[in-house]
């Protein structure tokens, strides 16, 4: 028996009847905007409100960000100059400490699936780290764009204590 009509009600019934045993989620900004986290692309989002002139960057880098706001999160810029990204993301990195934003109903549903031994994997495009706030096993979370909920060395993969990273950012990256 498969899903003939993929509605929330039908999916819920399949879960209740025990027909779905390996559930994977693909999540994006939609589950985190309900927590008050602005997305990148919408009006009023990060790209729309970017003010390159306020970031620690060369004139050429600021001009490039003014033309293409996505440059602020590009790997090419980050390799050259980490300050624009870190300054822009500072409130999000500091806000990810479980006090500013709270997981949403969607996050709790994923945790419920894990508790019921149904969760196979979470593939998330979100970098907010809310997936990590509920105690979902790290190995089940695939942060496809990275995560502000975990910190590691870009080269060797060694974990770095996130609270220490937040402390360093709070004291060394301008607001």
């Amino acid at each position: 028996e498969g899903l003939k009509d993929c509605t929330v009600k039908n999916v819920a019934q399949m879960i209740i009847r025990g027909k779905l045993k390996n559930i994977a989620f693909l999540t994006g900004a939609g589950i985190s905007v309900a927590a008050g986290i602005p997305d990148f692309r919408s009006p009023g989002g990060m790209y729309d409100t970017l003010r390159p002139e306020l970031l620690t960057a060369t004139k050429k880098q600021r001009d490039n960000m003014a033309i293409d706001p996505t440059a602020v999160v590009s790997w090419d810029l980050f390799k050259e100059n980490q300050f624009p990204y870190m300054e822009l993301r500072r409130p999000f990195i500091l806000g990810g400490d479980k006090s500013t934003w709270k997981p949403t109903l969607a996050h709790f549903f994923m945790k419920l699936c894990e508790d019921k031994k149904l969760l196979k994997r979470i593939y998330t495009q979100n970098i907010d780290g809310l997936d990590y706030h509920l105690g979902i096993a790290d190995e089940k979370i695939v942060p496809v764009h990275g995560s502000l909920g975990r910190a590691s060395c870009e080269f060797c993969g060694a974990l770095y204590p996130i609270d220490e990273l937040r402390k360093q950012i709070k004291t060394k990256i301008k607001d």
Side-chain angles (χ1 to χ4, degrees), residues 90-102 128-130 133 148-149 162-163 166 170:
R90 183 181 192 274
F92 297 94
I93 295 167
L94 298 179
D97 68 355
K98 298 185 182 181
S99 63
T100 302
W101 297 295
K102 307 282 187 230
D128 54 49
L130 291 179
H133 287 210
L148 299 177
I162 192 68
D163 290 335
R166 288 187 181 112
K170 190 172 189 173

Side-chain angles (χ1 to χ4, degrees), residues 5-96:
D5 183 18
C6 194
T7 64
V8 172
K9 181 180 177 182
N10 287 348
V11 171
Q13 286 300 315
M14 294 287 286
I15 293 170
I16 291 168
R17 287 191 212 125
K19 301 288 183 184
L20 302 177
K21 304 219 185 276
N22 290 302
I23 299 174
F25 293 89
L26 173 60
T27 64
I31 71 164
S32 293
V33 293
I37 298 172
D39 69 12
F40 282 46
R41 292 172 184 85
S42 296
M46 189 182 78
Y47 295 144
D48 188 43
T49 60
L50 181 67
R51 298 199 43 213
E53 69 276 8
L54 300 179
L55 300 174
T56 304
T58 66
K59 181 177 181 342
K60 181 180 175 185
Q61 291 167 342
R62 283 193 298 273
D63 290 347
N64 189 33
M65 288 183 275
I67 294 166
D68 177 12
T70 65
V72 73
V73 295
S74 75
W75 180 240
D76 289 335
L77 177 60
F78 192 81
K79 285 187 296 188
E80 266 179 49
N81 179 1
Q82 297 83 38
F83 284 106
Y85 179 82
M86 298 302 266
E87 290 167 0
L88 181 71
R89 302 311 293 164
R90 183 181 192 274
F92 297 94
I93 295 167
L94 298 179

Side-chain angles (χ1 to χ4, degrees), residues 151-169:
S152 61
C153 174
E154 190 65 41
F155 303 103
C156 72
L159 289 176
Y160 188 79
I162 192 68
D163 290 335
E164 180 60 25
L165 175 67
R166 288 187 181 112
K167 186 171 124 183
Q168 294 292 320
I169 287 173

